Amino acid sequence: MKKKMLLLNTTVLLGLGGVLSTPAYASTIQDMESQKSQIQNQRQDVQSNIKAASDELTRLQAEQDQMKAQLERLTIAEEENNKKAQKTEADIKETSKQVEQLEKEIKLLQEKLEKRNDILKDRARSLQESGGNVEYLQVLLGSSSFSDFVDRALAVSTIVDADRGILKETKNMQDELKTKQADVKSKLASLEDMKAELDEMTVQLAAQKKQKDALAKELKDKEAKNEELKASLQAKDSSLANEQSTLEQNIKDQKAAEEAARKAAEQAAKEAAKKAAEQAQKATAEKADSSSAKAEAPKASSNDVAPTSAPAPKASNVVTVGNRWIGNSAYVFGGGRSQSDINHGLFDCSSFVHWAYSQVGVNLGPLGSVSTETLKHAGTQVSSSQMQPGDLVFFDTYKKDGHVGIYVGGGKFIGAQSSTGVAIANMSSGYWKQKFNGRVVRI
């Protein structure tokens, strides 16, 4: 009886095994595994692309933030320079009024002197006709000009008191005239300097505006690319989600098909052998469970790497300390003389030089009054043939010694330039070579 039962069980198991291991079923499982592997590989590729795109998005965002900050600096610089231009224009108008008033006063003095001249001539002629003082006549006849006559006549001790009073008054009027004329010349020279500064300022404002507009266009283009990148990322992410959903659905369908095939085989076995099929079903289930329930070993997690401290920066010298402002600053006339300006990277040429030297422990005088005039007397004058990195170099722009920078070597200098903000410029050719006046000061 036992032998018959064993034979029956063996027959049932062999029959069930034949159903579960048909070539068609094995091919389906193989296809599923192959498909799963392919989708996993695709998912890895997509995830890698998403990470690369995300990194690029982060980089672009940082670049946009930097550009926006520079645009804000240029806007501030433009506003400040416009205020300076308006003030300069007002100063020009005020000085012009003063010049006009001085010219009127000079004209009145000249008219008075002409009257005095006529009076003195009449006095001399009357004196001559009456046979008066010969020495007085010699003074009149020997003078080279009316001004010379006045100076010579005052030296003659025998002149009558009335004439001496007229001469002294005339002398005072002449001195006043000379003073006013010198004052006019000085104010006119100052006016010309202010006009030259205003013209230079107008050109620089236009250059700054052009630079700001170019940056704005560049920012707009980058923002468009940024949006395009976002759209590409979203498309890739959607594609990845679809791939993953398809994979999960395929796995689910395949498991359902496998379960249906197993149930169909078990049902066929039950119909072939009632009680033996029941035992065979139990054995087959145990075998299937042991072969399919392979637990995947958890992956070992890698230890976190402790962050390493960045090496301490080397001490900067005056030649390189200003590099931090390149591309992050703007030129403002009279700027850089407050901590707020410095924090925003707003300098003019002399305030930048003062700041750079202060960073290496050298004080070039009060910040509020620093100028190209004070800086050219701050150290020792050396020949341009002996220039060394760190020397101050001067340029004739809107006036003599109107611009200053720090020589960095190789025919170049760093300074706050009107059109670029802090930048390194070439002084061995082009514009700056023409403007370099040979003045070099060693601090």
Side-chain angles (χ1 to χ4, degrees), residues 267-390:
Q267 184 63 31
K270 285 181 181 180
E271 292 175 356
K274 296 178 182 180
K275 194 172 182 179
E278 194 172 302
Q279 294 176 353
Q281 181 182 1
K282 183 179 178 181
T284 302
E286 291 175 354
K287 181 179 180 181
D289 289 340
S290 63
S291 62
S292 62
K294 293 180 179 179
E296 185 177 351
K299 296 181 180 179
S301 59
S302 58
N303 294 328
D304 292 337
V305 179
T308 57
S309 299
K314 296 181 179 178
S316 300
N317 58 36
V318 73
V319 174
T320 58
V321 71
N323 290 351
R324 58 172 288 195
W325 295 117
I326 295 176
N328 297 303
S329 60
Y331 185 94
V332 173
F333 280 93
R337 287 164 178 77
S338 68
Q339 192 58 47
S340 176
D341 279 358
I342 294 173
N343 292 341
H344 288 88
L346 304 177
F347 296 97
D348 65 9
C349 61
S350 53
S351 66
F352 170 74
V353 169
H354 187 284
W355 174 86
Y357 268 94
S358 71
Q359 300 306 296
V360 295
V362 178
N363 186 355
L364 296 181
L367 177 60
S369 59
V370 65
S371 67
T372 54
E373 288 298 313
T374 63
L375 290 177
K376 73 181 184 181
H377 300 297
T380 303
Q381 303 276 335
V382 298
S383 170
S384 60
S385 62
Q386 298 176 341
M387 263 192 306
Q388 296 178 2

Side-chain angles (χ1 to χ4, degrees), residues 54-184:
S54 297
D55 291 343
E56 178 65 9
L57 185 62
T58 301
R59 188 192 68 79
L60 278 175
Q61 188 61 54
E63 188 174 351
Q64 287 183 53
D65 292 343
Q66 184 178 6
M67 289 179 64
K68 287 179 180 177
Q70 180 64 1
L71 282 172
E72 290 175 0
R73 277 188 288 269
L74 287 175
T75 299
I76 294 173
E78 188 176 15
E79 291 173 354
E80 292 299 321
N81 288 337
N82 276 326
K83 291 178 184 178
K84 176 67 175 178
Q86 293 171 3
K87 183 179 183 303
T88 303
E89 188 67 38
D91 290 343
I92 288 175
K93 290 180 180 179
E94 180 62 27
T95 305
S96 296
K97 291 179 181 178
Q98 294 176 8
V99 169
E100 290 177 2
Q101 182 62 33
L102 282 173
E103 288 176 344
K104 290 179 181 178
E105 294 176 6
I106 289 172
K107 186 177 180 180
L108 289 174
L109 277 174
Q110 288 175 335
E111 291 175 354
K112 289 182 179 179
L113 282 174
E114 288 177 0
K115 291 179 180 179
R116 295 291 180 184
N117 188 17
D118 293 339
I119 292 173
L120 288 173
K121 284 181 179 179
D122 290 341
R123 295 286 296 169
R125 187 180 299 108
S126 175
L127 187 62
Q128 183 180 13
E129 291 174 353
S130 63
N133 189 286
V134 176
E135 187 177 4
Y136 190 14
L137 295 177
Q138 288 177 345
V139 167
L140 175 61
L141 296 175
S143 61
S144 59
S145 65
F146 178 68
S147 178
D148 184 36
F149 164 70
V150 173
D151 291 336
R152 290 163 62 96
L154 284 172
V156 178
S157 59
T158 57
I159 298 176
V160 295
D161 290 340
D163 289 348
R164 183 175 296 278
I166 293 174
L167 288 170
K168 284 184 176 180
E169 185 179 355
T170 303
K171 175 63 176 176
N172 292 336
M173 291 173 65
Q174 284 182 329
D175 291 342
E176 183 181 0
L177 176 61
K178 290 179 181 179
T179 300
K180 288 183 178 295
Q181 286 176 330
D183 193 13
V184 167

Side-chain angles (χ1 to χ4, degrees), residues 424-440:
I424 295 176
N426 190 351
M427 58 183 290
S428 60
S429 64
Y431 175 82
W432 292 112
K433 180 180 180 180
Q434 296 174 358
K435 297 297 182 180
F436 178 53
N437 62 18
R439 186 188 299 280
V440 180

